[in-house]
Amino acid sequence: MNTSEAISATAVAGLADRRLDWRHKAIPSTANGTTHAEFVAAKHTLADLQTPLLTLDADALRSNADRLAAWCKEHGVLLAPHGKTTMSPQLWSEQLHRGAWGITLANFAQLRVARGFGVRNLQLANSLTDPHAIEWVAGTATDDAPILSWVDSVGTVDVINRTLAGSDAVLDVLVELGAKGGRTGARGVEAAMDVARAISASPNLSLVGVSGYEGSLAHTADDAGLAAVRGYLAQMRLLHEQLLADRLYGTDSVILTAGGSAYFDDVVSVLSPCISDGTATGSKSVDLMIRSGAYIIHDDGFYRGISPFSRDGGSPFKAGMHGWARVVSQPEPGLAILDAGKRDLPFDEGLPEPQLIGAELGGPMEPLVGAKITSVNDQHCFMTFDAGTTTVRPGDVVRLGLSHPCTAFDKWTVIPVLADSGPDGDRTVVDLIHTFF
């Protein structure tokens, strides 16, 4: 691996040589056997594709990536986007080339994908307890290509110590602070301090920071939700200050990391006073790192409502994904059955939202007012509409706004990226995004 690169340009570029066929449900049968590069060069359009379909918007991807990169630079914080949202090395590359520190992943399999594409700096937002994963990280991480992971219990420290017994490998870890009702993480500052002491005493671990995830403590941006988030972040700051006072960090370069795509502004507000360049006598350098992942895609649902850029009254992120489904049945007045379902579109953070309707994919479309997706089966959506004011026919195409990119991308191995605009509703396919779930 070339450690001078944030990600292997050769590996990412090599995706253009992949051949497309029946394994890629977004690709029309007429394109079977062509390569990614040939497909894009042929200037296929939306009209050449078929339903069900997930597409991405080129302008939204660029705009969202640029926006958060600029915001992080303005606020002096690092960004390690959570790669599990897209599992797309092409999109990781876009984020890294805009200055991201590295890529965050959720499990061992995802780490292997990222390192396979030459991502230099990696963070596992989880604890290493699988011996195979521990041994792989120990044999793979280097000073020039680090892999950070989290520890939230003395028991986890024991697992790593047993696995690496007799080895001179030293893993860089962050102590994870949790909270009652949250997900992982030591429950409280004192419990986290016990974990930190165990890390400090381990011959195979070095404590390099504090980690946490505030998103599991709230699901709204009301006063109660924000209070829970900010109170938790204040506890992270307290933990960091105690670790400094007790000299438990095993490095001169400390990382504090929190922040998904919903509350990254609060993370910076509460924790940015901890940032230090380390120039004061006896002090350590301290970086603050957020891990927003969904921002590059954004959505028309959960993140549209809770994103800081939606809440601050300014310019929000742009929805970068849409679903397309065809009416396969109109069995009774006011009900249409669409040919997309749980196998095609996300539904866990809100059902798809009908937005536009037209007679054909890639043709003119008009707003679909008052329509609603009421339920989703494996392969179908149930759409209700006002039969007195709206006409829906078999064969019509509906564009759907979607919620939660994390459970959209995993349903597609290849996702077409559409140009910003085109004549009469049609749009050119300007790229294909490959995913590796």
Side-chain angles (χ1 to χ4, degrees):
M1 187 177 80
N2 181 357
T3 55
S4 66
E5 293 184 301
I7 188 172
S8 170
T10 299
V12 174
L15 292 171
D17 297 326
R18 300 188 87 193
R19 294 208 171 270
L20 309 171
D21 56 28
W22 50 267
R23 292 170 294 182
H24 308 109
K25 65 180 180 179
I27 303 303
S29 59
T30 53
N32 280 357
T34 62
T35 66
H36 164 140
E38 292 167 343
F39 186 88
V40 174
K43 297 188 181 303
H44 286 282
T45 68
L46 179 60
D48 296 325
L49 306 177
Q50 69 284 304
T51 58
L53 180 65
L54 177 72
T55 63
L56 304 177
D57 295 336
D59 174 66
L61 299 186
R62 285 193 302 270
S63 174
N64 294 343
D66 289 343
R67 179 86 187 280
L68 192 59
W71 189 90
C72 288
K73 183 176 181 180
E74 176 187 350
H75 289 82
V77 299
L78 303 178
L79 173 63
H82 212 320
K84 58 92 177 173
T85 297
T86 66
M87 285 307 294
S88 170
Q90 294 155 281
L91 294 179
W92 298 345
S93 180
E94 293 295 325
Q95 294 166 312
L96 291 165
H97 289 160
R98 286 170 169 80
W101 170 89
I103 298 295
T104 300
L105 287 311
N107 60 37
F108 179 31
Q110 294 172 6
L111 281 179
R112 293 177 63 195
V113 172
R115 191 45 60 91
F117 276 89
V119 178
R120 183 176 71 241
N121 293 341
L122 295 173
Q123 175 176 212
L124 177 69
N126 218 331
S127 294
L128 288 167
T129 56
D130 181 336
H132 296 291
I134 294 169
E135 292 170 350
W136 183 87
V137 170
T140 303
T142 67
D143 290 342
D144 292 330
I147 301 176
L148 310 181
S149 64
W150 299 2
V151 176
D152 73 349
S153 73
V154 174
T156 300
V157 174
D158 292 341
V159 170
I160 295 173
N161 286 341
R162 289 197 304 270
T163 302
L164 298 180
S167 167
D168 60 0
V170 177
L171 306 187
D172 290 335
V173 297
L174 298 89
V175 60
E176 181 190 0
L177 180 68
K180 185 177 180 180
R183 195 167 58 190
T184 54
R187 293 308 199 244
V189 172
E190 286 308 311
M193 289 296 294
D194 289 340
V195 177
R197 294 183 190 102
I199 293 169
S200 181
S202 168
N204 299 117
L205 295 173
S206 175
L207 182 61
V208 300
V210 175
S211 62
Y213 177 53
E214 74 293 339
S216 63
L217 303 177
H219 210 65
T220 63
D222 58 16
D223 290 345
L226 294 177
V229 166
R230 292 165 184 166
Y232 167 75
L233 295 169
Q235 290 297 296
M236 280 190 66
R237 178 173 175 175
L238 177 61
L239 172 59
H240 164 65
E241 291 169 347
Q242 290 195 15
L243 292 171
L244 284 174
D246 289 4
R247 300 183 178 182
L248 289 175
Y249 285 123
T251 178
D252 290 329
S253 300
V254 174
I255 291 174
L256 305 183
T257 178
S261 293
Y263 305 107
F264 58 80
D265 58 335
D266 294 292
V267 170
V268 173
S269 175
V270 176
L271 295 179
S272 61
C274 299
I275 296 173
S276 169
D277 61 10
T279 56
T281 303
S283 70
K284 294 181 180 293
S285 69
V286 180
D287 283 309
L288 176 58
M289 176 190 292
I290 63 172
R291 305 187 306 275
S292 310
Y295 78 94
I296 192 171
I297 307 300
H298 199 50
D299 67 10
D300 280 311
F302 175 70
Y303 287 110
R304 177 181 61 187
I306 204 169
S307 166
F309 293 162
S310 298
R311 292 188 272 115
D312 67 4
S315 176
F317 287 126
K318 298 178 180 180
M321 64 177 181
H322 291 95
W324 306 82
R326 202 175 300 270
V327 178
V328 293
S329 178
Q330 207 271 289
E332 58 190 65
L335 175 65
I337 309 299
L338 311 184
D339 66 350
K342 295 178 180 178
R343 303 285 174 82
D344 312 296
L345 305 175
F347 58 93
D348 59 311
E349 290 284 5
L351 296 178
E353 176 185 283
Q355 295 178 331
L356 303 173
I357 190 168
E360 57 188 358
L361 191 63
M365 305 194 87
E366 59 186 31
L368 187 50
V369 179
K372 184 178 181 180
I373 301 298
T374 58
S375 63
V376 183
N377 293 165
D378 287 350
Q379 310 291 174
H380 298 95
C381 285
F382 289 70
M383 185 180 79
T384 59
F385 60 95
D386 185 346
T389 59
T390 303
T391 300
V392 177
R393 303 180 179 87
D396 284 351
V397 174
V398 176
R399 193 187 82 174
L400 299 162
L402 305 174
S403 179
H404 201 198
C406 299
T407 50
F409 273 59
D410 64 322
K411 297 168 176 57
W412 298 84
T413 54
V414 167
I415 308 173
V417 181
L418 302 179
D420 305 338
S421 62
D424 299 324
D426 206 4
R427 297 163 67 185
T428 303
V429 177
V430 294
D431 203 358
L432 299 173
I433 294 298
H434 299 261
T435 68
F436 296 85
F437 285 92

